[in-house]
Amino acid sequence: MNGLLVSTRGLVHIYRSEGHEVAALSGVALDVAVGEMVGLLGPSGAGKSTLLNLLAGVFRASAGKVFIGPLELSAATPRQLDEMRANDVSLMLQGASRNLLPYFTPHENVRFAQGAARRAGKDLPEPGDVLATVGLEANAHRPLSELTPGHLQLAALAVAMAPRPGVLLADEPTSQLDHPARDLVLERMSAVNRELGTTIVLVTHDPDVAAYLPRTITIRDGRVGGEGRSGEEYAVVTPDGFLPLPLHVREHLHPGTLVRFHRSEDEADGQYVLIAEEAGHEGGGDE
Ligand code: ADP
Ligand code: MG
């Protein structure tokens, strides 16, 4: 079992282009345990791809911290970052073909993808074994042009798993697939997670994929907006004590609404009740 912990604190990312700035992430705190498989959800532009690139060490954060196992990326040397990218973290970009060398077979792609980790002295399985892990052994030596979209995505998964990373990050790995292919890819990713203990973070828009995952994290406006556990949605208190309101609650609580928390006498120990008052509304504050 080779999974690594993934954690962020106060993660901020600002894109600067031609005089204007976009804050894509504005304070993300995230904890993904060793060997967990979680989905990242959220509307387009929420910051999911930015977050994956920061976790992968592709971008450097504008502020805040990213931990991959014991390594904190903002404090890592260029050499440590290179080693981490070669050995520990794989990023599957959206669209299978972006992860594959087109004129190589799946077997050749996996062998090529193992190069950096192998040169660094890492003990790796044979490409054929990596392809067997994702269920692609029958297509190992076929040209990519003969593979179905689902099998191409499995080849991309094999390439990502080629260096036996502790963390697999996947940006919308099932978005361009029909349902049977989607389910196949998801099943093989789960198998990797189960059998190798790889920590997996995958971005998805698909409610069926989200429902399949034990835990989801919703990114909203560059922050963690909530979490799902087995299909139930929760708001999450951040490490610095903020509580983002669920969207359906926000509709009813206008900006400026005053909110208090009361410990309820009736409820089981530790239960809090949230009491909201309209801003400017006098009285009603005498309990
Ligand atoms: P998602 O993957 O959730 O759709 P992204 O991480 O791609 O979101 O983007 C988050 C925000 O950052 C969006 O407002 C997007 O327009 C902006 N953004 C993404 N990439 C760049 C870039 N290279 N330059 C400027 N802005 C960017
Ligand atoms: Mg994206």
Side-chain angles (χ1 to χ4, degrees):
M1 294 306 221
N2 63 355
L4 287 169
L5 163 134
V6 175
S7 178
T8 74
R9 287 292 176 272
L11 198 60
V12 172
H13 194 72
I14 298 168
Y15 290 104
R16 295 193 167 82
S17 53
E18 290 158 24
H20 72 287
E21 301 187 336
V22 179
L25 299 178
S26 35
V28 171
L30 196 78
D31 288 295
V32 181
V34 170
E36 233 188 326
M37 180 167 175
V38 306
L40 273 189
L41 314 183
S44 183
K48 303 178 299 295
S49 296
T50 304
L51 180 55
L52 283 197
N53 279 287
L54 290 171
L55 298 179
V58 176
F59 300 165
R60 237 173 215 276
S62 305
K65 292 186 189 312
V66 177
F67 296 90
I68 299 294
L71 190 66
E72 199 282 286
L73 304 194
S74 73
T77 63
R79 191 191 164 137
Q80 283 176 316
L81 281 177
D82 281 348
E83 282 177 5
M84 181 202 84
R85 285 189 294 248
N87 293 314
D88 299 329
V89 178
S90 283
L91 174 61
M92 277 170 82
L93 302 172
Q94 189 175 359
S97 60
R98 290 171 68 196
N99 302 282
L100 296 165
L101 294 166
Y103 301 114
F104 281 8
T105 64
H107 191 276
E108 289 163 344
N109 266 280
V110 169
R111 182 177 292 291
F112 183 81
Q114 289 181 321
R118 189 163 273 145
R119 281 192 295 280
K122 193 165 176 177
D123 192 21
L124 294 174
E126 286 302 310
D129 294 337
V130 178
L131 289 161
T133 308
V134 307
L136 204 61
E137 61 272 41
N139 294 290
H141 300 287
R142 285 227 172 124
L144 292 186
S145 57
E146 290 179 10
L147 266 54
T148 63
H151 284 162
L152 277 178
Q153 194 58 261
L154 291 183
L157 175 61
V159 162
M161 290 311 298
R164 275 286 155 97
V167 179
L168 172 65
L169 308 169
D171 202 348
E172 312 220 19
T174 63
S175 62
Q176 286 144 3
L177 304 178
D178 63 17
H179 288 185
R182 172 195 73 187
D183 295 345
L184 175 68
V185 169
L186 205 51
E187 152 55 31
R188 294 328 297 169
M189 289 184 78
S190 297
V192 161
N193 171 252
R194 232 177 15 248
E195 291 163 19
L196 303 177
T198 315
T199 306
I200 299 182
V201 179
L202 71 103
V203 172
T204 182
H205 268 109
D206 184 338
D208 292 342
V209 175
Y212 176 89
L213 299 168
R215 180 182 175 206
T216 57
I217 299 169
T218 301
I219 305 295
R220 210 174 76 207
D221 298 331
R223 294 185 182 83
V224 174
E227 282 204 23
R229 299 290 167 100
S230 312
E232 284 286 323
E233 276 300 314
Y234 294 88
V236 199
V237 180
T238 67
D240 40 7
F242 290 92
L243 178 66
L245 295 175
L247 279 180
H248 68 278
V249 174
R250 199 166 85 175
E251 279 170 28
H252 300 287
L253 299 182
H254 305 292
T257 302
L258 302 178
V259 175
R260 290 188 293 171
F261 291 88
H262 287 263
R263 196 183 275 276
S264 166
E265 302 293 335
D266 312 329
E267 304 278 347
D269 264 354
Q271 292 270 12
Y272 278 87
V273 180
L274 186 154
I275 298 180
E277 298 164 13
E278 283 301 313
H281 184 271
E282 299 294 328
D286 55 9
E287 296 112 282

